């Protein structure tokens, strides 16, 4: 029997997961708190955390429960209720809180934490870097972008044999769809010397590029001097009050040295500073002077007290408040070849950190002064501009004209569209990547406004949730011609259906693409991979259609949970 899968919460992400699993022929039941229509799926309406609702959906016989809602508190409530009703059910829990997710994974058996933001962020980052990624693949402790190559008359690969790409370590052949729909698997096509023809579609994972070149010292010095121009915005009040205080002291010193011939310049300055600041000084300077000088001294005391009070208040606000931090962030704004991230939400912070890990200079624009991720990005050396990214003045302050890319990734689709259109008007050559949560309108927005990339986090993350529901810890996934494929690592046990078989034979029989093998002493790639035989204890990394995953645990279920 096919495993029974329950999906709790049918928002955009949950509904997409439901549709994908139904496409793969899975037995799926959805639970939602209000009526929703799906032509082929059974949907139970009710309180998601109520025992009656879960029982009506078949929780006691379910193999997998996907908590797809965005409310993490409610997901935890459903988790506890589901485990009471079925202690053995496998739970895939949507959580952004990674530390809590790790603790849950370690504490609860058959529990897997997944984050929509963490799954979507690498694709946003790759798009900003210039790669038309449709997915991601986690290999060799790196996240590889996945893209599709459609072979047309002008494609440089037209007529090249697939075997030329097999040995290339910078590319991973993942999926092959021939133009004639002959259903030839990739391994057979490679061994038979098949060439790429017009209409073929090839899915590849490419090794990400990492910027390692450090910026020259002259450029750093130039950036430091150029940052001074930001001071008039963030330190203007401090500068003006400091000048007023110095002028007050200077005026008093000049008066005392002019009308008191026996007073030296140093004594006059000493007395003026002490009088104005309230610290006291050599009062002999005015003790025996004329009444006019005493009246002048009284006036200067009152004026000086006011100026000093204002100066101390503004200086305190500048240093201990947010103004110094704003000035420091403004001074660190990159001058060129940087990437601007607009919106510091869950997707924005993950994308910014991903780009920094690849060596890119990143600047964040965020309007909320109390955003919870500000300390996170600042601790990673990322400057922040506080302001509305939809305003042209804010975008110009971010040096958008000389930036490589801009990502509009706020939680509001309309705001993202406004930011992207203004960015196009200011810097037509700058690559624009837009977040649009509604996947249907995302493709329309890209076509109508000619943005480089319009991405929907639910559309990116849903295949990973669907793949994980079919078993194991997924390393990557994607969709080609409505067929969901997954990348996994499976451990070869003595009872595994592939144990003792050559990789070449097993791959052609089960229609999977081997990526590499990890043995106890080596890693096997390329042509050696096809010639190797699978032994107990080996870990085989592969990609295959999700609908055929059951072949991997025909004897021993869930042995693909290797990471």
């Amino acid at each position: 029997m096919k495993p029974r899968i329950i999906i709790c919460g049918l928002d955009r992400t949950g509904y997409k997961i439901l549709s994908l699993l139904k496409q793969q022929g899975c037995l799926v039941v959805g639970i939602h708190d209000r009526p929703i229509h799906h032509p082929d799926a059974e949907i139970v309406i009710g309180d998601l955390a109520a025992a009656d609702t879960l029982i009506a959906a078949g929780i006691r016989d379910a193999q997998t429960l996907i908590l797809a809602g965005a409310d993490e508190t409610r997901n935890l409530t459903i988790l506890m209720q589901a485990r009471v009703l079925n202690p053995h059910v496998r739970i895939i829990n949507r959580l952004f809180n990674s530390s809590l997710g790790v603790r849950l994974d370690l504490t609860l058996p058959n529990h897997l934490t997944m984050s929509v933001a963490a799954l979507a962020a690498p694709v946003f980052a790759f798009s900003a870097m210039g790669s038309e990624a449709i997915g991601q693949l986690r290999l060799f402790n790196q996240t590889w972008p996945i893209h599709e190559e459609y072979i047309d008359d002008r494609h440089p690969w037209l007529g090249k044999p697939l075997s030329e790409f097999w040995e290339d370590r910078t590319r991973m052949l993942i999926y092959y769809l021939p133009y004639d729909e002959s259903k030839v698997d990739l391994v057979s096509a490679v061994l038979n010397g098949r060439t790429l023809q017009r209409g073929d579609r090839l899915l590849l994972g490419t090794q990400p590029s990492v910027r390692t070149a450090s910026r020259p010292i002259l450029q750093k010095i130039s950036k430091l001097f150029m940052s001074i121009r930001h001071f008039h915005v963030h330190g203007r009040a401090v500068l003006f009050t400091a000048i007023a205080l110095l002028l007050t002291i200077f005026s008093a010193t000049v008066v005392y040295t002019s009308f008191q011939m026996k007073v030296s310049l140093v004594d006059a300055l000493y007395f003026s500073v002490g009088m104005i600041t309230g610290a006291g000084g050599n009062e002999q300077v005015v003790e025996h002077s004329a009444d006019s000088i005493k009246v002048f001294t009284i006036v200067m005391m009152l004026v000086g007290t006011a100026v000093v009070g204002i100066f101390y208040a503004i200086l305190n606000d500048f240093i201990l408040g947010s103004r110094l931090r704003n000035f420091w962030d403004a001074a660190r704004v990159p001058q060129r070849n940087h990437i601007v991230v607009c919106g510091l939400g869950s997707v924005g912070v993950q994308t910014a950190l991903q780009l920094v890990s690849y060596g890119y200079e990143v600047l964040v624009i965020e309007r909320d002064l109390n955003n919870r991720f500000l300390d996170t990005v600042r601790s990673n050396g990322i400057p922040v501009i506080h302001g509305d990214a939809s305003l042209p003045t804010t975008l110009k302050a971010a040096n958008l004209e000389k930036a490589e890319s801009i990502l509009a990734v706020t939680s509001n689709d309309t705001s993202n569209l406004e930011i992207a259109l203004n960015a196009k008007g200011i810097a037509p050559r700058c690559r624009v990547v837009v977040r649009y949560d509604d996947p249907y309108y995302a493709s329309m927005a890209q076509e109508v406004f000619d943005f480089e990339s319009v991405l929907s986090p639910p559309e990116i993350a849903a295949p990973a949730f669907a793949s994980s529901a079919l078993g194991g810890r997924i390393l990557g996934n994607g969709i080609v011609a409505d067929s969901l494929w997954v990348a996994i690592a499976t451990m070869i046990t003595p009872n595994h259906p592939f144990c003792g078989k050559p990789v070449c034979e097993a791959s052609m029989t089960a229609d999977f693409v081997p990526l590499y093998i990890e043995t106890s002493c080596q890693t096997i790639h390329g042509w050696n991979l096809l010639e190797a035989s699978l032994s107990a204890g080996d870990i085989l990394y592969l990609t295959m259609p999700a609908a055929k995953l059951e072949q991997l645990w025909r004897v021993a279920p869930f042995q693909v949970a290797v990471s």
Side-chain angles (χ1 to χ4, degrees):
M1 291 181 62
K2 294 182 178 180
R4 186 180 185 89
I5 301 171
I6 299 176
I7 303 174
C8 267
L10 300 180
D11 58 6
R12 288 192 178 105
T13 304
Y15 192 86
K16 182 65 177 179
I17 297 169
L18 179 73
S19 301
L20 284 174
L21 289 173
K22 289 299 296 183
Q23 279 182 5
Q24 310 310 312
C26 299
L27 180 58
V28 189
V29 178
I31 302 178
H32 204 49
D33 54 6
R34 58 185 182 276
I36 188 172
H37 174 69
H38 193 288
D40 304 319
E42 177 186 351
I43 298 177
V44 177
I45 307 301
D47 182 0
L48 304 184
D52 293 343
T53 306
L54 291 170
I55 291 172
I59 187 64
R60 289 190 169 126
D61 299 320
Q63 280 81 13
T64 304
L65 171 66
I66 302 177
L67 306 178
D71 188 337
E72 297 186 353
T73 302
R74 185 161 66 166
N75 286 348
L76 293 174
T77 304
I78 301 170
L79 181 153
M80 292 184 287
Q81 183 65 264
R83 276 296 167 91
V84 170
L85 298 172
N86 183 352
H88 305 292
V89 66
R90 184 168 182 261
I91 294 179
I92 300 173
N93 195 356
R94 176 181 173 182
L95 286 176
F96 177 77
N97 189 332
S98 58
S99 59
L100 174 60
V102 170
R103 296 310 311 168
L104 288 173
D105 291 345
L106 294 174
T107 304
L108 300 176
N110 286 331
H111 182 278
L112 175 63
T113 300
M114 301 184 73
S115 166
V116 171
L119 291 166
V123 179
F124 277 88
F126 293 138
S127 298
M129 293 159 59
S131 173
E132 296 294 336
I134 62 172
Q136 56 172 309
L137 181 62
R138 186 70 182 173
L139 291 176
F140 305 116
N141 297 318
Q142 284 185 307
T143 303
W144 295 42
I146 297 170
H147 65 277
E148 181 182 357
E149 293 285 348
Y150 179 79
I151 309 301
D152 56 21
D153 291 330
R154 294 178 294 178
H155 200 285
W157 294 354
L158 181 64
K160 284 190 175 184
L162 284 166
S163 57
E164 285 190 16
F165 303 96
W166 187 254
E167 194 69 31
D168 190 349
R169 297 289 182 88
T170 63
R171 295 191 182 101
M172 284 285 182
L173 295 180
I174 292 175
Y175 201 89
Y176 172 60
L177 198 66
Y179 73 98
D180 54 5
E181 299 183 357
S182 57
K183 296 185 178 180
V184 177
D185 64 275
L186 179 58
V187 173
S188 297
V190 169
L191 293 176
N192 296 331
R194 186 173 177 121
T195 59
L196 290 170
Q197 303 296 319
R198 185 179 61 182
D200 285 354
R201 296 163 74 177
L202 192 64
L203 223 61
L204 305 102
T206 55
Q207 194 170 24
S209 60
V210 179
R211 289 187 175 179
T212 57
S214 59
R215 293 181 294 277
I217 188 65
L218 290 178
Q219 183 177 340
K220 294 180 180 179
I221 295 174
S222 173
K223 182 178 178 180
L224 178 63
F225 279 105
M226 292 183 67
S227 67
I228 297 175
R229 66 188 177 90
H230 294 286
F231 184 81
H232 74 279
V233 176
H234 298 278
R236 185 165 46 192
V238 177
L239 180 63
F240 285 168
T241 52
I243 292 174
L245 179 59
L246 292 175
L247 288 176
T248 304
I249 295 172
F250 176 76
S251 302
T253 303
V254 170
V255 170
Y256 293 136
T257 54
S258 301
F259 292 92
Q260 298 288 88
M261 303 302 295
K262 297 181 180 180
V263 177
S264 67
L265 178 63
V266 175
D267 287 338
L269 178 61
Y270 176 63
F271 174 72
S272 299
V273 172
M275 172 193 64
I276 291 173
T277 60
N282 186 7
E283 297 182 0
Q284 297 298 325
V285 173
V286 295
E287 188 69 25
H288 303 290
S289 60
D291 291 342
S292 58
I293 297 299
K294 292 180 179 179
V295 172
F296 172 78
T297 302
I298 293 172
V299 173
M300 293 305 295
M301 285 181 178
L302 297 175
V303 173
T305 301
V307 173
V308 169
I310 295 172
F311 176 73
Y312 282 164
I314 294 176
L315 186 63
N316 181 69
D317 176 64
F318 183 81
I319 295 176
L320 300 181
S322 61
R323 293 182 182 272
L324 182 60
R325 180 175 290 177
N326 292 340
F327 165 67
W328 180 244
D329 283 334
R332 294 166 57 231
V333 171
Q335 301 302 311
R336 61 178 63 85
N337 301 329
H338 57 288
I339 296 177
V340 181
V341 178
C342 303
L344 199 57
S346 56
V347 175
V349 65
Q350 294 273 8
T351 304
L353 297 177
Q354 189 88 24
L355 289 167
V356 169
S357 69
Y358 287 121
Y360 284 78
E361 275 198 290
V362 179
L363 170 69
V364 169
I365 300 177
E366 170 58 41
R367 66 190 306 173
D368 184 7
L369 293 172
N370 299 313
N371 186 284
R372 58 176 175 159
F373 299 122
L374 286 174
D375 291 336
T376 301
V377 296
R378 285 198 174 105
S379 65
N380 284 271
I382 303 174
V384 180
I385 291 180
H386 290 292
D388 187 348
S390 63
L391 299 176
T393 52
T394 307
L395 295 176
K396 289 179 180 178
N399 294 327
L400 184 64
E401 297 91 337
K402 297 182 179 179
E404 283 191 16
S405 308
I406 180 172
L407 295 104
V409 289
T410 73
S411 57
N412 187 289
D413 289 349
T414 304
S415 296
N416 291 336
L417 187 61
E418 183 179 5
I419 293 169
L421 290 173
N422 283 332
K424 274 292 186 184
I426 295 171
R429 296 184 180 180
C430 182
R431 169 176 285 272
V432 176
V433 180
V434 184
R435 171 185 174 180
Y436 214 94
D437 279 344
D438 192 320
Y440 175 74
Y441 291 106
S443 57
M444 294 174 61
Q446 183 167 355
E447 181 179 352
V448 170
F449 299 110
D450 196 28
F451 298 134
E452 279 73 12
S453 188
V454 180
L455 303 171
S456 168
E459 189 81 2
I460 296 170
F465 280 84
S467 304
S468 297
L470 296 174
R473 191 176 294 272
I474 304 302
L475 304 175
N477 58 81
I479 299 176
V480 177
D482 294 329
S483 176
L484 176 65
W485 63 264
V486 295
I488 60 175
T490 179
M491 177 175 285
I492 306 301
T493 62
N495 295 327
H496 197 285
F498 298 159
C499 187
K501 290 185 177 181
V503 173
C504 179
E505 177 187 337
S507 61
M508 289 187 288
T509 303
D511 189 22
F512 70 80
V513 179
L515 301 178
Y516 62 97
I517 299 174
E518 284 184 354
T519 68
S520 57
C521 58
Q522 63 176 330
T523 302
I524 305 175
H525 303 266
W527 294 109
N528 294 332
L529 173 63
L530 298 179
E531 298 169 358
S533 294
L534 294 167
S535 304
D538 292 348
I539 299 178
L540 173 63
Y541 292 78
L542 58 90
T543 63
M544 70 184 307
K548 299 183 179 181
L549 272 174
E550 61 185 19
Q551 298 180 71
L552 297 182
W553 51 81
R554 197 182 313 157
V555 178
F558 296 114
Q559 286 181 349
V560 295
V562 179
S563 61

